Amino acid sequence: MGHTSLEKIIALQKNPANIRNLCILAHVDHGKTTLADCLVASNGIISSRLAGKLRYLDSREDEQVRGITMKSSAISLHYRNGDQEYLLNLIDSPGHVDFSSEVSTAVRLCDGAIVVVDAVEGVCPQTQAVLRQAWLENIRPVLVINKIDRLIMELKLTSQEAYTHLQKILEQVNAITGTLFTSKVLEERAEKEKEEEKESETLSGDQVFDWSAGLEEVDDSHLYFSPEQGNVVFASAIDGWGFSIQQFAHIYSQRMGIKAEVLLKTLWGDFYLNAKAKKIMKGAQAKGKKPLFVQFVLDNIWSLYDAVVTRRDKEKVEKVVASLGIKVMARDLRHSDPKVLLSAICSQWLPVSQAVLSMVCEKLPSPLDMASERAEKLMSVGARRFDSLPAQTQKLKTVVSLLVPLQICSPNRNGLPISQVKIVPEGCSASDCVFEVPHLSCCSMESIYLLMGRELEDLEEVPAGNVLGIGGLEECVLKSATLSTTPACPPFTPLNFEATPIVRVAVEPKHPSEMPKLVRGMRLLNQADPCAEVLIQETGEHVLVTAGEVHLQRCLDDLRDRFAKIEISASKPIIPFRETVVRPPKVDMVNEELGKQQKVAIIHQVSHQVISQVMDGLVTLTTPNRLATVCVRAIPLPQEVTQLLESNSEVIRTLEQINMSLREGKSLDISLRTLEAIAGLKDQLDSLLQGRKWRNAVERIWAFGPRRYGPNILLNNVDSYQRPSVWQCLGRGDKTVEAGAQAAVLRDFDNSIISGFLLATLSGPMCEEPLMGVCFCVERWDVQSSAPAQHQESFEEDSMSHKALADNKVERSSETSAQEEGMASGLGQAERRPEPASDCYGPVSGQLIAAMKEACRHAFQAQPQRLMAAMYTCEIMATAEVLGRVYGVLGKREGRVLHEEMKEGTDMFIIKAVLPVAESFGFADEIRKRTSGLASPQLVFSHWEVISSDPYWVPTTEEEYLHFGEKADSANQALKYMNAVRRRKGLYVEEKIVEHAEKQRTLSKNK
Ligand SMILES: Nc1nc2c(ncn2[C@@H]2O[C@H](COP(=O)(O)OP(=O)(O)OP(=O)(O)O)[C@@H](O)[C@H]2O)c(=O)[nH]1
Ligand SMILES: [Mg+2]
């Protein structure tokens, strides 16, 4: 445990005012783990010579091999700052996007964060993401600009150029904070105005109109990073040095007799030293003078590098060592690698651990200072307002007796995940009985640990305000849970995840008898990883869903080595698709204008199996007992609407919950913010759904699907049927519902129609993938309220024969349900034969569900169908020489370059591109190989995109025959994707394997 004993740490844990819980956040490879090494070395846990090389917190084998962090790890450090002693609970997080969920959990546990930025690469996509995450969790960040040595050795900048470069980086980081801040202020302002409006409605009197944005009054200076505020450290973690300007202010105030306060204000900025007047003056840039920062700080470092590394000037080195008053061992002086000498000097002169740790102790809050705003945010979930929570619960806020619970990271014992938890006030001991909310199960913690990087120390009790590990929760916690000693504590808001799990594989044990072990292992993996999802598909396969390729690999390794401990085999990645419809195309595949005739031909060809009436895309279907009829039409939603629905799925889900409780007759106290979000969504939909086709569409929305919050809409166009609007919680548009007899009957079956729609949107007819961007309009819906009760023998027979007939058909199209086919072929006899209400077809509501589902599917097929592919975006940094190859790889994989720009101050290009997920496997590796490791992209899921080619396309016009030939067997990407999915799911695939076999066989012989 280095030179801090366990007793010492236990003693320090009792003083929350001197505890700092912090995490290190950055873009991948910006040097988090290296910096953590330096901090760990300061506690003597590892040797300072190995700091930066060992990467102590990367304890997993695959982390060391790949050189990237994949799991967060926590360690407790001791630091003496002046006369105060501090306990620092440090979490090193991964930077790779695949693991961004680890960042979310780390941020939730901490009160502060060290944001690391590479001095050469500057602000990268993940830097923005982590700053945003820190902001959303209300934790305070400090900044470390790392890898300054690269400015000297790689970019060969002069100290003056480096200063300008550093200024720019700082500006970029502050710009991000600025945007986050502005949007928050504007939001608050809008909220306040709303409340004021309400008040002023009641108080009629003089009105004052204020149109300022509110930004002027708010002091935001403490939010920004600036060296004079003391929240920025400049460092080179690999060489072991780092400084804040406080250190230099201290040095020069002693050496030159300038007041430290003056130096603090002037060391960073446009100031220079007028040696004659012995004054510090403003306007260095205008007068062409060296700024103080360059003269007093950077020049020293530059000349040290010059003497030690570049010129290897022994005498000068000795002089410097003497003047700094430090001791360097003779062994280091003679070492063949100048870097060793450099670290030996720097780590004594400007030890990075001291600069960073003292900044952390001074600038980051202790657990006692948890912002009340943060506590409120954590406790108000979904639509509930904080003030609407029970009084007992609200009281908890001041006590903040909350545990923030998350499974993550850390080494484990016996392969079980250790939950990493922060206790906020009352503390806990190993015998405590802990409740879980909302299902409120009671569990007891078996053991608690202190997390020490690669090791765990058993503890008896942990006082409030610390980060600790809890063992023995695997039976009662599924993925994450809120642990509390009182049932009054509400479950905390869910974590904000940046990554979407998108890559799925099916796994199975090598030996089928080991299935139970695999199942258990997968359950543990599901607990241990916040982003991995484990599920069993209808086909019985065990499926693992991960954020990306690297994440997938880690999950499989974990499963094999830690959780299941058996040999497993994984399928190829299963790529998700979406199904949609588009407007009928205006031109054919050879860009000839399509006449009306061809369009009709297309529709016919697609709907050759539709047994119901199809007229102009309108599908009419009757239930088997012929009591109910629905007419449905499918229309493509505008792209913007689909996007809006996608991005607002949370709002829609909340809306659905509210409607559900309204239906049940309960009333909810809905927060103003939620109502605003719902109203905002409605207004946006209103503005996007314009035109004759969509008149009054928003008011007529019946449901969203699949799962009640997806990107598809069901519209109610039935004239005779008015139902409560989905927007009823907003209070407006709530029309009085007609209470006619017909409407009442329809209302009884309202749910069946919605269920049918939800089923249809969950798996489409193309390859049973979910639908997206489709609007189904119910144009007509009749239900006969009563039916003649007599039972006719002959009909029974008849319907049986239809069933038999239907069974034959199933082979051809597995997805058409037997009942519907039977019903439809019996359609012609509908008028002649009345039939019983409780009949062989089962309850009416069930039939209606099936009929509605089929109607939706046929309506979908009556439109031009398209597949949608999941797309990744990636940002690739590459030098000019390898740019061509990067484009080559992108082109081969159907990637599209969005834009390309030069990174300021470097010779790097930044290329932003999108790439289909289906083509992405091995992409990062291929790019790295083709560019000799110079470019390494990170793929982030961004959106769904319609594949323009029609999978069902066959040549219909003369020109198309000419161009593509009769078989048109040139590659149809969409068809390939579709058939691959169908084959995987065991669905019927229409394929001709060999045609004209004889001809092919004799072809070569004749020649
Ligand atoms: N030149 C230079 N290289 C550095 C410095 N700090 C770290 N590196 C190098 O940068 C690479 C990445 O360092 P890590 O500490 O693993 O980076 P990380 O941020 O932890 O990376 P992830 O955890 O994978 O996101 C390693 O090869 C380090 O040697 C530095 O100050 N100067
Ligand atoms: Mg790391």
Side-chain angles (χ1 to χ4, degrees), residues 47 49 328-337 340-341 344:
S47 135
R49 281 176 177 274
V328 179
M329 277 189 272
R331 187 175 64 177
D332 289 337
L333 272 174
R334 284 197 308 271
H335 205 287
S336 59
D337 183 2
V340 174
L341 176 59

Side-chain angles (χ1 to χ4, degrees), residues 20 22-24 35-36 38-39 42 77 79 81 88 90 113-116 142-146 230-237 240-244 247 350-364:
R20 299 288 180 270
L22 66 141
C23 50
I24 311 185
L35 179 67
C38 299
L39 307 185
S42 75
L77 301 175
Y79 179 67
N81 190 31
L88 306 161
L90 179 78
I114 302 178
V115 177
V116 180
V142 289
L143 185 69
V144 171
I145 301 186
N146 190 27
N231 55 6
V232 179
V233 159
F234 302 91
S236 164
W241 60 263
F243 63 87
S244 57
Q247 271 164 292
L350 297 168
V352 60
S353 56
Q354 198 190 335
V356 172
L357 293 181
S358 62
M359 168 170 77
V360 162
C361 294
E362 279 156 29
K363 295 292 161 191
L364 293 186

Side-chain angles (χ1 to χ4, degrees), residues 32-33 58 69 92-93:
K32 294 174 291 295
T33 312
D58 282 356
T69 308
D92 176 34
S93 71

Side-chain angles (χ1 to χ4, degrees), residues 21 72 575 757 807 939 949 972:
N21 297 312
S72 312
I575 296 124
F757 160 75
D807 286 343
L939 301 169
S949 57
N972 180 339

Side-chain angles (χ1 to χ4, degrees), residues 161 174 191 213 375 410 429 443 533 631 699 744 769 842 891 928 976:
E161 286 163 348
N174 281 333
E191 204 164 284
S410 77
S429 66
C443 60
E533 280 174 19
C631 292
E699 282 300 336
E769 292 284 295
R928 224 171 290 140
K976 261 192 223 158

Side-chain angles (χ1 to χ4, degrees), residues 165-181:
H165 187 85
L166 291 174
Q167 264 181 325
K168 264 197 205 119
I169 290 181
L170 213 55
E171 266 166 31
Q172 287 171 355
V173 178
N174 281 333
I176 297 172
T177 317
T179 343
L180 292 169
F181 177 73

Side-chain angles (χ1 to χ4, degrees), residues 334-575:
R334 284 197 308 271
H335 205 287
S336 59
D337 183 2
K339 282 269 183 177
V340 174
L341 176 59
L342 188 75
S343 339
I345 298 175
C346 292
S347 54
Q348 290 181 59
W349 176 37
L350 297 168
V352 60
S353 56
Q354 198 190 335
V356 172
L357 293 181
S358 62
M359 168 170 77
V360 162
C361 294
E362 279 156 29
K363 295 292 161 191
L364 293 186
S366 78
L368 292 180
D369 305 332
M370 184 198 233
S372 69
E373 201 183 341
R374 186 176 184 207
E376 275 189 32
K377 217 162 150 189
L378 279 177
M379 292 168 71
S380 30
V381 186
R384 307 237 0 168
R385 254 185 323 176
F386 181 74
D387 4 333
S388 74
L389 293 169
Q392 203 187 355
T393 310
Q394 289 195 33
K395 240 197 283 166
L396 289 177
K397 186 190 136 192
T398 45
V399 198
V400 218
S401 90
L402 315 171
L403 312 179
V404 188
L406 308 151
Q407 289 74 53
I408 33 169
C409 88
S410 77
N412 56 341
R413 295 199 169 165
N414 322 324
L416 297 177
I418 300 290
S419 318
Q420 185 171 323
V421 172
K422 184 171 104 191
I423 306 198
V424 194
E426 276 162 7
C428 66
S429 66
S431 59
D432 275 352
C433 180
V434 184
F435 290 103
E436 221 178 291
V437 187
H439 303 297
L440 209 75
S441 76
C442 182
C443 60
S444 53
M445 303 186 292
E446 277 169 21
S447 39
I448 47 181
Y449 305 106
L450 174 69
L451 304 162
M452 286 302 289
R454 298 180 183 194
E455 282 147 40
L456 292 177
E457 304 280 345
D458 280 294
L459 291 180
E460 277 300 305
E461 57 171 353
V462 177
N466 283 286
V467 173
L468 77 156
I470 300 184
L473 290 182
E474 64 275 2
E475 290 306 322
C476 27
V477 177
L478 182 65
K479 205 166 185 75
S480 65
T482 304
L483 300 178
S484 166
T485 46
T486 152
C489 175
F492 291 166
T493 45
L495 295 166
N496 310 307
F497 286 136
E498 296 271 322
T500 336
I502 190 112
V503 179
R504 49 172 70 204
V505 291
V507 288
E508 57 180 22
K510 272 264 163 63
H511 309 292
S513 62
E514 291 175 329
M515 199 60 184
K517 280 192 191 164
L518 179 73
V519 174
R520 193 182 113 87
M522 293 193 52
R523 216 191 64 229
L524 291 176
L525 175 71
N526 189 32
Q527 278 181 346
D529 194 307
C531 193
E533 280 174 19
V534 167
L535 44 114
I536 300 176
Q537 275 187 333
E538 313 88 83
T539 49
E541 287 170 305
H542 289 262
V543 172
L544 179 65
V545 196
T546 58
E549 243 186 316
V550 191
H551 186 210
L552 171 68
Q553 202 52 49
R554 193 201 74 194
C555 286
L556 289 178
D557 286 349
D558 268 355
L559 205 54
R560 203 171 288 135
D561 304 334
R562 283 174 62 187
F563 298 134
K565 295 200 178 131
I566 51 168
E567 280 296 299
I568 50 172
S569 52
S571 71
K572 272 202 209 145
I574 303 169
I575 296 124

